[in-house]
Amino acid sequence: MNIMNSLTWKHMKANKKRTIVTILGVIISVAMITAVSTAALTFTTYLQNIQIQRGGAWHVKYVDVTKQQGNKIIDELDEKFSFYTQVKGYSKWNDTSKVVKPYIYVEAYDSTAFDKLPVTLLDGRFPEKAGEIIVSKEISNNKEESYKIGDSISMEYGKRFAMVEGEQKEFKQDVEFHGDTFPVEEQETWKSTGEKETYTIVGIIESDEWFAMPGRRAITFLDDNTVANSDTLTVNVFMNKVSNDLYNQTMSAGKAAGVDEGQLVFQDDLLRLHGVSKFEDTYNKMIQICTTILILIIMVGSIALIYNSFAISINERSKQFGMLSSIGATKEQKRNAVLFEGVVTGAISIPLGIIAGFVGMWTTFTLLGPILENAMGINVGIKVVVSSESIIAAVIFSVITIFISAYLPARKAAKITPIDAIRQSRDITVHAKQVKTSRLTQRLLGVEGDLAVKNLKRNRKHYRALVFSLMISLILFISVGSYVYYLKESVMFAMGDDSYDVVVWNIDKEEEDTVSELLKELPNVTEGNAVIKLSEWLMMDKEQSQSLITEEGKEALEENWSENNSDFEFYCSLSFITDDEYERIVGKKNSGSDGIHAILINQQVRQRGYSLTDIEPLRANVNDKIRIEDYEIQLDLITKERPLGVGFGTIGGDVSFVLPLSALSEFEQFDTEAMYNYYLNTNDAENIEDDIVDEFLRGGIQSNYTIYNQAVEIIRNNQITTVFSVFAYGFITLISLICIANLFNTISTSFALRRREFAMLKSIGMTPEVFRRMIRMESLMYGIKACIFGLPISIAMTFWIKKAVSYNFDKYYAFPYMTYIIGILAVFGVVGIAMLYSSRKIRKENIVDGLKTEIN
């Protein structure tokens, strides 16, 4: 170690507090850079694993190729693993006309496929040899013919055909059943291939077919050793390395084997997560842009801290550099001395920062992993992914940050001349006019306030650096806080207007009573309501609608409304609930002999740009009669309180009427189109779907129903918001720590350099109380200035975020006041603590010792 580096090392040890603060700041910076790159890689890998769980472990598959072609393709590709699957065909199993799944769709998997494709085994085991099969739970629990493990099941395979645009085409599993609901010429036929098999059931699996798929799922074993070279099958390939050349590689391999491009199927959702796409890769662009922005923000905050630390060091060592220059030290030696301080700081901070970043991410994902898994709705564990690329990137960005921070002060150190250093006047270039204050300032703030203002004007560089640090912290905190606030508000608005937890859609009329009884038996259902909503909107009498519609209703329909326009149309939606529920709400018996009765839900949502509010569209009274199409409906109740499962009028659209179920027969032309929907509230949202499915299987329900669990969706959305909040506030906290470290560093050094000034003020009679008031005034100046610049930007960011992700209610002006209050208090609190901490020693110092201090 040469003499210059030795002196630098001694200086760093002599100023331990500032050195430690600088090293801690750099550690936080490096840890954040490491954490950002690690989090991006970990989350992308997690999404890849989720997609593999949902879609299977394959990047490309070659459909309907011979085994000989498949073997040639595998030889051509650099594949990590591959496996075969084969479609056996459709076997009839249920001829009931109302069932849209009249087939069993049988596939054959080899031993690898069972491990790599999404097959959820509920009971039993996977097939291990020919003659064994696993079937979906719907087949096992079929009310007409149920099966259990160990039973035999016979299959006769066939294919589906129908006329499409005058040409007969074969239907695959992705085409719905074309039964008697389709025109005669489009109805499908099943043609046997002549192949018959009898299997032993060895396992029951979860059904994962879409509701429109015509075949229930069953899988048998495929022994590729017994498959002839001419037999047709599907080759699934998982590539060893995924790159942008994947599409060309796989197509070339297929072409070499005599396979058409149309026989290749790519799992684009998985490839996109690898950064490979035939189309615009918006996901990876978003990840890259967000990662780059975060790293740049970290670098800016870190450079401000480290630069400030080195600049302070240069100011303290300026006399030393001048003396060294006078005995022959060159500019290069002085510059290298400062850079050496950066090297030492980096050598200590970068390894510790990288370790801290990985440990922080591991801790975060370990704690948030279960929440994230539940929010994503799939049982895939999240593990921190560490790559050499992320470590190298963190080191490179950290070295650049430290180099930029140290190089600028190093250039300044190289230019210090012996005369400037001895005079200690290089940084004192202010003139009287620059620190002059007005008489109003002196009267309002007093002597201590006037001194505080003068000091801020005299130390503009330090003052601006501190204000900038505080401003950045304030803007980031308020922006993230506003985003989280409006994100939660948007989720609640999107899902909170419907009062139900779970809905079961599309129950056939023939099974309505059975379903109602089955749902009542569920112990976790606290409330339920059957609702039928006509598929068509009905038009209110034009003349009557013009007299009933309110001014608010006219404005909501202003695009179509015209008092002189006879074509104006006002539509209504009709929902039907059970007679008992209707009578309970109305509070009286509905005889049904004196016409059609209804409840008017006199509520509609009106939208203006991003603003939503409730309006009353109609001016009506109880017992009024309203003509809708050819029907006259008497109003029993006018309310905004909706029965369970009944929605209000849509934006600028219909008005809702609720009728008793007995009145449905009056609307004969719509009765055949009606489907029953059941809306439920539950105290066990997590398990209610499984309970409903099990109950329906036990009861043999054949309706093509769909279950939507809104309660779980709300929980998952809130959990995703929570995970986002943790990462966002964690990021803001660490950025703020860098800014706070910078703040403490600068203020404490500033106070140390002002020891003579404070001693001089005390020597001419400044009391401890006046001194404290002056310090408090300086703190207020820093905080006020940061708020003056930071709050307008924060408010602009808040409104931009509100416009982007949330709605603004006319009836309730939602503004995140608490976020602003916390942010402002934090600014003044941090500045105040830093000032009190830094002035603690100055207050106790002897005046004579202070006057002897050599300062700039």
Side-chain angles (χ1 to χ4, degrees), residues 450-461:
D450 188 49
L451 289 171
V453 173
K454 287 180 181 292
N455 177 62
L456 298 182
K457 287 185 175 184
R458 184 181 60 185
N459 296 281
R460 278 190 171 89
K461 288 184 179 180

Side-chain angles (χ1 to χ4, degrees), residues 9-25:
W9 177 248
K10 287 181 179 179
H11 176 75
M12 292 178 69
K13 289 195 293 184
N15 295 272
K16 288 180 181 178
K17 286 187 178 180
R18 195 189 67 250
T19 302
I20 291 172
V21 170
T22 304
I23 289 174
L24 287 175

